[in-house]
């Protein structure tokens, strides 16, 4: 991930795009790409959504949007000097305390 | 990242949340978290957005939303068996051909 | 709708909020509110989503988010001098030509 | 607005699209269209965003996305039997109490 982040930062620098890459703009771009991922699924049933990778064209589109989301997330983190893996590890630690596993085993209460 | 992905999958399994974690629902949850990141910036000027980490409370909130976005992205990739780093590397390769660096050096054309 | 739009514009003016109400910021705020509507539905099955108004608290939350989306849409249109009803009528006219009704009656092809 | 809502409902009915128009799917579609509006503005400065209607092509695109957002909002309200104007009027009433106008006249505190 560090190497991909370096390539993304260099990619933007070489094209003179840094002035556009404010945290505000990158957060908006991230949300736009996340919505493009939602768009692929918007009319699918839950069952159809589980089989989305069976169609090669759609599978390519899904991977492409995943890449876009991750790209903007890494660029956002780069401009604000955030380590997303450290942030996520801390969040999982907090959530493991906040949502203890029920002693009787898995339940099916809705996630938050 | 592999270890965090494993922890997230185990977290959902232990709580019986897999039935909720369809690709369609996880894509929606990802976009909701991305919007919560946008919300932090929505009334800020570009300059204020660049200083968002100066305030400890806001910095915590930004890191927390980054963690949520990454968590849902990894869970989405887990249920569809997508490797996000491979997807991103392929995308950067394509973009380096699609947007060649101008010979005269960086320009400031708007990114796409 | 004209009267509500007038009240919204006056509400923002009286509180000195116009400097924040750039088209860019209002579009972001609109998308944030739309995501808050999505959040209500994110873990529901299609069937549960159809019964969302049966619970008074959830029904109130849905109406509240609908109001927020419409509020930012009207404010966005106000600052750019767009008539949303005229824009929608024109769009429906175009779509009626683009998606002709099949002669054999309703089909169930996925909407776009 | 009542007439446009009637046309939208009839448009979907004539094409057999009602099975896709669950509240959950329509909320997602609404958020996707709102993000397409954000996309137009994502790399613009606040000043550029204020002049977005000067370019005829971009002005058309903005009006088109406004129409899409309003279309899905009205369809969402139709399937759940919500009156969006009543919901908005109630919200403005609440907000007028929640954010009283400062006696000294307009201030420039950030909106919520």
């Amino acid at each position: 991930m560090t190497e991909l982040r370096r390539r993304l930062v260099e990619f933007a620098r070489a094209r003179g795009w840094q002035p556009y890459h404010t945290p505000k703009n990158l957060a908006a771009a991230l949300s736009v790409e996340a919505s493009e991922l939602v768009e692929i699924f918007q009319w699918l049933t839950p069952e159809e959504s589980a089989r989305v990778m069976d169609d090669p064209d759609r599978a390519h589109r899904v991977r492409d949007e995943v890449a876009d989301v991750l790209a903007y997330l890494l660029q956002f983190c780069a401009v604000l000097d955030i380590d997303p893996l450290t942030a996520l590890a801390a969040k999982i630690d907090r959530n493991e305390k906040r949502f203890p596993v029920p002693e009787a085993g898995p339940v099916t209460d809705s996630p938050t």
Side-chain angles (χ1 to χ4, degrees), chain A:
Chain A
M1 204 157 95
T2 313
E3 168 62 9
L4 290 170
R5 175 166 154 164
R6 197 199 53 70
R7 285 182 72 189
L8 287 165
V9 168
E10 174 53 25
F11 186 91
R13 195 205 55 74
R15 284 154 190 81
W17 288 354
Q18 302 107 315
Y20 301 97
H21 283 193
T22 63
K24 180 181 173 110
N25 288 358
L26 290 167
L30 170 63
S31 81
V32 167
E33 297 301 335
S35 283
E36 292 185 2
L37 197 58
V38 170
E39 192 181 12
I40 300 173
F41 294 95
Q42 69 186 348
W43 306 120
L44 302 186
T45 63
E47 297 72 29
E48 288 167 342
S49 95
R51 297 191 304 268
V52 75
M53 304 303 278
D54 291 356
D55 176 66
D57 283 350
R58 204 136 61 171
H60 176 79
R61 205 173 145 208
V62 169
R63 279 197 201 91
D64 203 51
E65 297 300 347
V66 162
D68 285 336
V69 169
L70 183 56
Y72 282 122
L73 183 65
L74 293 183
Q75 290 176 90
F76 176 88
C77 288
V79 299
L80 290 180
D81 201 20
I82 292 171
D83 180 340
L85 298 182
T86 302
L88 178 53
K91 178 89 187 204
I92 297 175
D93 289 345
R94 287 198 299 277
N95 276 350
E96 284 175 343
K97 282 172 198 150
R98 197 175 146 208
F99 303 103
V101 177
E103 291 192 20
V107 287
T108 51
D109 267 7
S110 174
T112 52

